[in-house]
Structures are given as C-alpha cells and as structure tokens.
Amino acid sequence: MSYLIGPRITFAGQFQADVSTINNEVRYYHNETFDPAFQDRRPSGNPDEGGWWNPTGSGAFRLVDCKVTSAWHDGASVTDPAKDPAIGLLVANALGRSAGKMVDLDPQMQMASGIWGMGVRLTDGTGPGYVAGDFWPASFRDLTMRQETPKQNGQPLGASYTSVLQNLVWNPSPTIASRVLEQIRRLLQQYGPEAALSIHFNLYNYCRNYDNPEIAKRYTFGNVVGAIGVALPSEPKSFVLGRRFAPTKRPANPFGAAYFDAVVDMASGTVSVDLGNALPLDENGQVQTNLGQMSLVVLAKADTVANGQPTFLPEGSDLSDGDFVQIGDLPYADPDWITTTAGIVSLALPAAALALLADHPLAIVKPEVRDLLPPTFTIWARETVMGYHVRADEFVQRLNPQSQVPDPQPTDSVDVTVYAAQWGNPFNSAGLHVEQLGPTNLGTGAQQDIKGIEVPWTGLPAEVVTQSQTPFSGGRAVVTVTATDPAGARLVYYYTPPANETDPLPTPAKQPTPLVGTYMDGQIYSLIYKLQETSDWELYQYTIDPSGAKTPPAQQHYLDYVNLHVRDGYAAKLDPTWQDVAPIFSQYANLYPVMSQRLVDLSDEPSVTAHAASIELAFSLEMDDPNYMPVTRDMSPAKQQTLLAYLRKVQGKPAAAPKSLQSTSAPRPPGAPIPVVDRDAAAARTSILSKSQAIKNGAA
C-alpha cells in the first residue's frame, strides 16, 4: 500500500537537525594532530581549519510544530477539521523521550545520513496522543538540488526519508472520531501484527547560516512536509516500489526535474504522484510557481528495445496532443499547495489511460503556446525507460568481521533485499549486476592541507567484500554481502600522481605500514547495482556532458549505492587500563565537543571515572536508542565491550561475563568477487559524489 495508496494524512511544519559538523573532516579523527581550534565555528565554505558551521551540535533531529494539513480517504481530500478532526493534530516527537539522532555513516560517506531512535506520535498536544510508534532507522534518499540561489538558508539541497512506524501503541479511548484514522487503524488490524504505518517526509530550506541575526533565528531549522499511511509487511521500508520517474540523461541544469515516484492503484482507478521533493524552490525556499502548466499523461508511444538498446522519447521531446492521453493537471501553483498536500497529487484514471498503463510510460508534459498554431507539448519528466525500477532496501550496513568475542569469526555478513518492478508490478529479473565503486579519497571539499595528513583512501582492498545472490522471486532478490577484516587498510594507501596527468582516476599505492597511525576504524565500500536487463544499455553507462566532463548514468539516482562500513578487527580487552581506552575516549572528546564542554571530558581520566556510571549506561544501550553512545554509531562491538569493561572496573563492579557477539549460525564463507567498475565510470561517479558532499557541507 504505502503512503501513496489508501487512506493517508499529510503534515507540514519545521524540523531541527542539530548535526555536529566537526566530524565532517576525516583528518580531524587523528588524535595526535588534533587542534582545539578545530572545534571553533566557521561559516560555510570558509577554507580555514575549524569545526564548520555547527561543531557543538548534539546530533538531535526533531519534528517541530508539524500539523496534519489534509486527509485522503474514500477518493477525496479533506482539509476542514470540521469534516475530519485529524486535521490540525500534531505530528510530534515521542513523549518523555530524547530526540532522535541524525548520523552519517562515516566522514567519507556523508551521502546516507540516517535518523536513529526517533519516536513519532499523533496528538492534540495534551497527552500521549492518538497513536505513537518507533521510526525504523532510515537514511535519506533522492538528494536533490532544490535551490539555485539559497539567499537565506545557505543549504540548497533537499532530500526524502521513507520509513515505517513500528511498535505501534494506539489510544484505547481516543478523544476524537476521525474517519481517516479509523480507516488506517482497521487496515492495520486487517493485515495483521506485521503491518505498520508508512511515513515519508521531505526536508528542504534548511538553515545553516548563523551570521545574519535575522536569518539565524532559523539556524539548524528547516521545512518539512510529509505523509503517513499504511505499510504492508511485504513492501520495502525505505522507498516506494511503484512507477519511478527519472531523467534519461543527467540534465545540464540540475534544477530541472528530479527523481520521484508514482503509484497506480487499479482497485480505485487512481494514480498518485509525489512531487514533494521534485520541484525547484525559489531563493526564499518556496516552490517556484512560474514553471507553467503541467499535466500528468500516459505517452501513446511505447518504449522498445532492439539490438540490446532501448528506443524512447526523452525529456525535452516535442509532442502533439495525439501523442499522449491526459490524466489531469498538476495544481502545484495553488496557494499553500505544498504544505496542504505534501506535494502528492491523486488523479482518477480515464479509460483511455487505463488501456495504456500496462506497458506505456507516465510523463509530465508542459504546453508550448504558438501564435495562430495549435499548441505543442514538451516532456518535462518521464517514467524510467521500459518502466524498470530497482532499489535496495537496507542500503546502509555496518559489518564487524574479526570483532566478535569470545570466539572471533573471520567474516561478517548482511542480507540486502533488492526489489525490482516493471511498469509498477513486481518483476523477476534475470539477476543483478553488482560492482564496487572502487578507490576514492573523498574529503570535505574545503581544507586542502591539515597538518600534512593525506585524505585516506576508501574502497581498498576490493577483495574484502564478496557477494552471493538469490534468484528473483515475487520481484525480490537477496544479496548477501560478506566481509573479511580490512585490517586498517584505509590508512595504508596514499596518492601518487600518475605519470599521465589525463588519467581520469589516480591509483593509490600501498605502503607497508600506516602513514599516520590507525586513527580511522574500518573501511568504506560502495556497491553499484543494476538489473541484468539494463546493464549493457548506454543509459546505464557514464556519459560526457557538453563541457567534456564525465557524468554518471541518470536512470538510477547517483547515490543509489549499497554503502558498507566494514570495521577493522579488534580483540576485546576484558581487563583494560586507561592506556587501552584513552585513544578511543579522546577521539570522541575531540569530535563530540558538546559532550566534553557541557557534561564530561572524555579525554580526562578523572572525569571519566567520576561519571563512569552514566557513561556506562549510554555505551550499553542498543544502537536504535536515542541516547546510545557514541552518537556517530561507528564503534565496533568489541571496542564497545572494552570500554564497558573499563567503566565497570573503575566503579569497582565485578567484570561482566563476555557478551557473545558470535552469530547463531556458522560463519559464511566468502562469496563471489565483486568487480570494480571501470576507471572512466568510477571517475564520473566519484566526481559527482565529491561535489555533492562538498555542497552538503557548505564547501561549494
């Protein structure tokens, strides 16, 4: 079902993301060269060494003054609270619980920031509310350049989060009688205990500008619009499996059409399209209303494949009114449209459109008026070619080979579910084509030299990660990724300028010992995946734009990787000394100054001893708890046990029995090697990944 099918509520308001920015710079992790000046606040884009624009951020993520703005049920939208009292309710954080946390996977992979430990409730503000649930930890998707000139806020990007609310608690005696909420509740009961609430929200107009006193009133705040509906157990949690809109080529203007989703509901004869993260914003963060008339249509000309390559109508194609069947206009320019609808448009499907939808693409077209001549139409956005849609669900993973006690295992494995659809229906592909991005040395995009420390290389060695696959069944396949110990590989490579300066990607050379000591835990790997049916299409290869730059393919979002943090092996110490734990505690003291400046100095042995009980509590929580330490969630279980053993020791507590971290099943043997993408494709992908990370940080 998802939030795009069946009854739903939409909401709008603000969010706060009090992210810490000091840990954006990977070289700040080196304790021996850390300078206290790194904790100083600096404006976005400042090339000087400093902690960026929010070094003392707590990591907290909050929904702020978010209210239900509309309800969709029985084929119609309701905005009047007199017709449904759900309108005006607050979509709020959990009652009596700390705020959730927004966390990057790693300073060298900031393109998958996740929200952990967030509780959400629907309430009138006077109590626990109508229903409350736990937000399944999810990372953002569909990062999009929303503003060409962010005059006030300083952050031009927008992104979407899709997840589920689980562990639901319903008020047995609700104080309101809402038709839409009762329909949602009954559907959940009908589908059983594994059903959950589907939640989707778009973040935009985020303010990181603290210089201007007036603008700084919104510092660390932004706008959010979203929707809540019903999620079924068989559906992906982190995205909607439906009909995917995507550019057929990387647009020269990044402020054009973006990536977004639509779902056709044959039972009700409707189509819903989500434009909440797709339309460009003006300099004040409002949806641009001057894009002209836009209509959702079905193209009359089908996509075809011949000689292994597709033929299709790309965006920008000119059409006459006989080249499509119109479904309906998109009222994006209506006053308060984005906040009332969250950008979701639901339209009834005419019979002529229903006749084509099974194998013809959806599109959005704009009319081009010509004097004394019939109008023509231009494709502004369209569905993926041949209607293919493939996406991994659990696409951010942390693995811990050789970091398990009491019996260390040589490997650690995770299962990643990959869904495929064609024209919105489950598709049993012949298989997945999986590759590694390969070596990259992504920094923040600002400081070029910090204490002479090289930016580490990720993606090496390639043989650390392997994979096996199950065949597709019911439109789903499972990719099992198995990792061995990277053994500090991130710090034993350095960049050697190539003899040929036109080489698209430098090749790092391996050193026999770490360059500056083992200050980064683990290695980062990014896996690229495609359907076998499309792996040889030119659409899925890198292209060259008019400037001559290589660009990644456009049919899949350029951040649709499976991102892995494979931690280094570590032997847990059950009777540790301060010398054993000081490097770990000191690093967190440096990189989480809000803790050291306001609560406890983690680099100071007496301070740690004095606060050992509270620190032990925080480090012993489950990772999805909002108060879990470290907030960055980048510590291996064996290191966590070492710290807990030390904290119990200084409190005079008996040593805890070693917690078994061993899998209940035997360790999986390594699977098949995962090839590295070719150098030109890697250069194209790395370039846009680096640019995106720099823009997100404020360095570009």
Side-chain angles (χ1 to χ4, degrees):
M1 295 192 72
S2 87
Y3 69 95
L4 286 179
I5 292 184
R8 66 174 176 265
I9 57 174
T10 62
F11 61 91
Q14 290 189 302
F15 72 94
Q16 183 186 27
D18 186 31
V19 293
S20 174
T21 54
I22 186 175
N23 57 21
N24 286 347
E25 173 53 69
V26 64
R27 291 166 290 182
Y28 286 0
Y29 282 65
H30 188 235
N31 286 344
E32 286 72 17
T33 56
F34 187 85
D35 188 327
F38 294 166
Q39 296 181 346
D40 294 341
R41 188 164 66 171
R42 295 284 192 274
S44 296
N46 191 308
D48 297 333
E49 296 173 359
W52 300 79
W53 44 271
N54 195 31
T56 58
S58 65
F61 180 88
R62 300 178 177 92
L63 298 174
V64 180
D65 196 27
C66 292
K67 295 182 179 180
V68 176
T69 54
S70 72
W72 174 271
H73 60 82
D74 302 314
S77 177
V78 177
T79 58
D80 185 353
K83 295 181 178 179
D84 196 309
I87 311 301
L89 290 179
L90 293 171
V91 179
N93 304 295
L95 185 66
R97 177 167 142 189
S98 297
K101 299 297 186 290
M102 180 177 277
V103 180
D104 289 330
L105 179 64
D106 187 86
Q108 292 188 276
M109 179 40 72
Q110 299 175 38
M111 296 291 98
S113 304
I115 297 175
W116 290 78
M118 183 170 72
V120 178
R121 64 192 170 107
L122 194 61
T123 177
D124 61 4
T126 62
Y130 196 97
V131 63
D134 297 324
F135 183 88
W136 178 76
S139 297
F140 71 64
R141 310 196 84 147
D142 292 342
L143 189 73
T144 301
M145 184 72 81
R146 299 291 305 271
Q147 291 174 270
E148 188 169 6
T149 54
K151 179 179 178 181
Q152 297 184 6
N153 53 296
Q155 173 57 277
L157 299 172
S160 297
Y161 282 87
T162 303
S163 183
V164 296
L165 300 180
Q166 50 196 10
N167 305 321
L168 297 175
V169 178
W170 294 86
N171 188 336
S173 303
T175 57
I176 62 170
S178 164
R179 183 173 179 83
V180 68
L181 295 180
E182 186 58 27
Q183 285 189 3
I184 290 173
R185 183 172 184 169
R186 288 179 179 177
L187 281 171
L188 291 175
Q189 291 174 339
Q190 174 184 336
Y191 288 112
E194 296 302 315
L197 289 175
S198 169
I199 182 169
H200 173 90
F201 51 85
N202 306 302
L203 308 182
Y204 63 99
N205 198 26
Y206 180 69
C207 181
R208 60 188 180 200
N209 186 337
Y210 62 85
D211 290 331
N212 183 302
E214 185 63 28
I215 298 173
K217 293 176 181 178
R218 296 185 58 249
Y219 176 57
T220 73
F221 285 78
N223 294 94
V224 57
V225 295
I228 297 175
V230 176
L232 301 185
S234 59
E235 296 173 335
K237 295 182 177 69
S238 66
F239 67 97
V240 172
L241 186 67
R243 303 187 69 138
R244 180 76 163 160
F245 279 71
T248 57
K249 58 185 176 181
R250 185 79 45 202
N253 175 15
F255 308 98
Y259 296 82
F260 54 97
D261 298 297
V263 173
V264 173
D265 182 13
M266 298 301 292
S268 64
T270 60
V271 57
S272 296
V273 58
D274 186 354
L275 298 169
N277 189 47
L279 299 178
L281 307 175
D282 63 24
E283 63 180 13
N284 296 313
Q286 303 301 311
V287 171
Q288 292 185 18
T289 58
N290 59 350
L291 302 177
Q293 179 184 338
M294 295 199 292
S295 303
L296 184 67
V297 305
V298 185
L299 296 180
K301 182 177 180 180
D303 300 340
T304 59
V305 177
N307 300 318
Q309 296 298 321
T311 301
F312 56 91
L313 290 173
E315 60 269 23
S317 297
D318 291 330
L319 307 172
S320 66
D321 57 8
D323 293 330
F324 58 85
V325 174
Q326 180 161 332
I327 298 172
D329 292 335
L330 304 177
Y332 75 95
D334 288 355
D336 302 321
W337 172 79
I338 189 69
T339 54
T340 302
T341 67
I344 300 171
V345 180
S346 294
L347 299 168
L349 288 164
L354 282 168
L356 291 174
L357 274 172
D359 54 6
H360 285 67
L362 291 167
I364 294 176
V365 301
K366 298 174 59 176
E368 302 290 337
V369 179
R370 301 180 297 172
D371 291 340
L372 304 178
L373 292 173
T376 60
F377 300 83
T378 301
I379 297 177
W380 184 77
R382 58 153 291 158
E383 192 174 356
T384 55
V385 175
M386 293 298 296
Y388 285 129
H389 184 192
V390 59
R391 240 175 177 187
D393 201 7
E394 312 90 348
F395 67 101
V396 177
Q397 297 285 352
R398 295 158 171 86
L399 295 94
N400 300 286
Q402 289 289 12
S403 184
Q404 305 179 38
V405 293
D407 300 313
Q409 295 205 23
T411 65
D412 193 14
S413 300
V414 293
D415 291 334
V416 179
T417 307
V418 180
Y419 293 79
Q422 186 176 29
W423 307 121
N425 297 310
F427 174 66
N428 288 331
S429 169
L432 290 167
H433 183 72
V434 181
E435 297 175 300
Q436 299 187 51
L437 177 60
T440 65
N441 64 336
L442 295 179
T444 59
Q447 297 98 318
Q448 299 304 310
D449 179 73
I450 298 177
K451 310 295 185 182
I453 302 175
E454 295 274 0
V455 175
W457 284 87
T458 62
L460 292 166
E463 59 268 21
V464 163
V465 291
T466 58
Q467 59 112 0
S468 60
Q469 300 179 23
T470 65
F472 272 92
S473 177
R476 287 190 289 181
V478 175
V479 178
T480 299
V481 179
T482 301
T484 57
D485 183 2
R490 192 168 356 179
L491 301 171
V492 298
Y493 293 87
Y494 77 106
Y495 162 61
T496 300
N500 180 3
E501 293 298 334
T502 62
D503 192 348
L505 195 69
T507 301
K510 185 176 181 180
Q511 297 297 288
T513 58
L515 298 178
V516 289
T518 54
Y519 68 95
M520 286 304 298
D521 188 357
Q523 183 59 292
I524 298 298
Y525 295 89
S526 296
L527 307 184
I528 305 161
Y529 55 93
K530 313 170 191 174
L531 296 177
Q532 293 284 8
E533 288 77 5
T534 64
S535 61
D536 291 331
W537 287 5
E538 293 177 1
L539 273 173
Y540 284 83
Q541 313 301 323
Y542 78 91
T543 57
I544 299 178
D545 68 20
S547 70
K550 298 178 176 67
T551 60
Q555 282 280 279
Q556 282 178 269
H557 192 278
Y558 61 91
L559 296 178
D560 266 352
Y561 298 110
V562 173
N563 295 297
L564 312 171
H565 183 192
V566 183
R567 276 87 173 250
D568 292 328
Y570 182 86
K573 298 175 175 61
L574 303 182
D575 185 26
T577 65
W578 174 251
Q579 286 69 33
D580 294 320
V581 299
I584 304 173
F585 276 133
S586 295
Q587 189 176 73
Y588 288 115
N590 294 337
L591 299 173
Y592 198 51
V594 67
M595 169 73 77
S596 296
Q597 294 176 11
R598 302 178 188 177
L599 297 173
V600 52
D601 184 356
L602 293 174
S603 66
D604 179 67
E605 181 179 4
S607 181
V608 170
T609 301
H611 296 85
S614 58
I615 301 173
E616 179 192 3
L617 175 62
F619 275 90
S620 60
L621 297 171
E622 296 297 324
M623 188 180 289
D624 58 1
D625 190 289
N627 294 315
Y628 172 89
M629 286 290 290
V631 172
T632 45
R633 287 160 172 79
D634 54 0
M635 180 182 291
S636 67
K639 284 187 177 180
Q640 180 188 37
Q641 289 204 11
T642 298
L643 296 187
L644 290 173
Y646 176 81
L647 293 166
R648 292 182 63 87
K649 177 180 176 180
V650 299
Q651 294 176 78
K653 293 182 178 180
K659 178 182 177 182
S660 177
L661 302 173
Q662 183 172 336
S663 303
T664 55
S665 59
R668 291 171 173 165
I674 304 176
V676 175
V677 71
D678 71 72
R679 292 169 62 81
D680 284 333
R685 288 179 174 273
T686 300
S687 173
I688 196 166
L689 190 61
S690 177
K691 183 180 296 184
S692 298
Q693 188 149 304
I695 293 172
K696 177 173 178 277
N697 287 328

